[in-house]
Amino acid sequence: MGEFELIRQYFAAAACARAGGDVVLGIGDDCALLDVPAGEQLAVSTDTLVAGVHFPESCDAYLLGQRALAVSTSDLAGMGATPIGFTLALTIPSANPVWLAEFARGLDSMAAGCNMRLIGGDTTRGPLSMTVTVFGRVPVGMPLRRSGAQPGDLLCVGGALGDAAGALPFVLGERESDNAEAAALLRRYWSPQPQLALGQALRGKATAALDISDGLLADCAHIAAASSVSLIIEQARVPLSASLLACVGPEQALQCALSGGDDYLLAFTLPPAHLPDLLADGWPVQVIGRVAEGLGVQLLDAAGGVVNTARVGFNHFND
Ligand code: ADP
Ligand code: MG
């Protein structure tokens, strides 16, 4: 199969490759053409996944397609942007029809859920890797940046954390995944659902936001640094799923939530006055702490004492 036939069959023919919405021209020309409505700005982000580094070489192609798109699209959620489309730069060792069909099917299902369109890409031969670049739009002045957190704001997250980190031993085949709890964690790892609607609902309300990809402590440190504030996290308020608790127990579950990555849920700071409306509208907002004067991230135990994150082995955070 030649390169052009491959692109046509598996990508240009995919449902997600149809033009529409803000995509004026999709796959097939030298460039795609996007419409950005007056008063809005283009939001752009790119992520690369490399076999053996970001996913096991032998993993399921359908799940990989889903995850590759979700990981990148989550950055649009973290910015409060509305998705427009994405490009796919794919490097494959060989043109395996079954693999390509499954990978494209995974992309397609995640694209449908995120209202994303495949607008172009590049296809090359080499060790398996993929780069997804996402494009979105956001009204001028409304992007959720990392730099606006204010002392007095609440620190919030968009759901239970740590499931993806809890799934890692199953992903890597180090542990048997033969029960419903493990299956639930694996779903969170392979099919994270970017919180696009929540991000858009937080426009004009959250003072800072990002999507959690490196773990709660590390990502909160990014907001703290960009905003020149201190973020105080109450350990007892960090939401943990029943599946995670069942699989790894309370101590490790907390560790997964604090330092494990790959959750792709939003963390954001919110003036307290906005909380009641968001909760009344049913948004998954969980308050885990607050913003204070100072610099950095502080973790408090149930008694209000400062937890030494270095001593309890949150290495990633201290790197
Ligand atoms: P060029 O020679 O201009 O780089 P290509 O031959 O690489 O063009 O690609 C032809 C068309 O197919 C372009 O519109 C490009 O965006 C698209 N394309 C190539 N690879 C992919 C892919 N993996 N997924 C989606 N579109 C792709
Ligand atoms: Mg090319």
Side-chain angles (χ1 to χ4, degrees):
M1 186 178 358
E3 180 191 337
F4 293 109
E5 176 55 18
L6 186 161
I7 295 167
R8 195 195 58 75
Q9 189 169 335
Y10 296 104
F11 299 111
C16 63
R18 267 181 235 131
D22 302 306
V23 178
V24 181
L25 183 66
I27 295 174
D29 213 312
D30 297 316
C31 290
L33 297 173
L34 307 179
D35 250 350
V36 181
E40 302 207 17
Q41 288 170 323
L42 198 58
V44 182
S45 176
T46 197
D47 277 294
T48 296
L49 299 182
V50 177
V53 179
H54 302 99
F55 59 89
E57 194 103 32
S58 61
C59 77
D60 184 283
Y62 174 83
L63 295 174
L64 182 59
Q66 283 204 327
R67 186 164 190 273
L69 181 54
V71 163
S72 292
T73 303
S74 179
D75 284 315
L76 294 179
M79 212 67 189
T82 303
I84 296 177
F86 67 101
T87 61
L88 168 69
L90 181 64
T91 303
I92 42 177
S94 65
N96 175 337
V98 176
W99 191 94
L100 282 163
E102 282 301 285
F103 180 74
R105 203 166 65 81
L107 270 187
D108 234 350
S109 80
M110 185 56 66
C114 294
N115 199 20
M116 277 295 243
R117 291 179 160 81
L118 179 58
I119 60 170
D122 199 24
T123 307
T124 52
R125 194 180 289 265
L128 180 61
S129 79
M130 59 216 60
T131 298
V132 175
T133 302
V134 293
F135 301 83
R137 56 183 170 80
V138 61
V140 175
M142 301 293 261
L144 306 176
R145 300 180 58 169
R146 299 178 175 192
S147 53
Q150 296 287 333
D153 289 347
L154 302 170
L155 175 61
C156 309
V157 292
L161 303 176
D163 282 5
L168 260 189
F170 303 117
V171 171
L172 299 173
E174 297 167 359
R175 238 184 114 177
E176 236 8 88
S177 54
D178 51 3
N179 56 56
E181 279 81 20
L185 299 188
L186 279 165
R187 270 196 302 280
R188 288 288 305 275
Y189 179 89
W190 284 115
S191 319
Q193 303 296 316
Q195 295 193 295
L196 291 158
L198 176 60
Q200 290 161 41
L202 293 174
R203 287 177 190 161
K205 297 188 171 76
T207 50
L210 47 60
D211 68 315
I212 303 172
S213 53
D214 297 335
L216 181 68
L217 292 174
D219 285 315
C220 281
H222 292 143
I223 292 181
S227 301
S228 301
V229 294
S230 164
L231 297 193
I232 298 169
I233 301 171
E234 293 174 47
Q235 195 168 273
R237 299 180 83 175
V238 174
L240 305 169
S241 74
S243 306
L244 182 61
L245 288 165
C247 278
V248 304
E251 215 166 289
Q252 225 195 314
L254 183 65
Q255 174 116 10
C256 286
L258 294 174
S259 352
D262 295 331
D263 279 323
Y264 302 105
L265 294 170
L266 300 188
F268 50 97
T269 57
L270 190 72
H274 291 305
L275 183 63
D277 281 354
L278 287 168
L279 291 177
D281 289 343
W283 293 109
V285 178
Q286 311 248 8
V287 178
I288 60 163
R290 62 196 161 83
V291 183
E293 306 266 359
L295 206 55
V297 178
Q298 237 182 28
L299 187 63
L300 302 184
D301 62 24
V306 176
V307 179
N308 184 336
T309 49
R311 265 201 25 230
V312 287
F314 298 120
N315 293 326
H316 188 89
F317 173 57
N318 292 291
D319 279 347

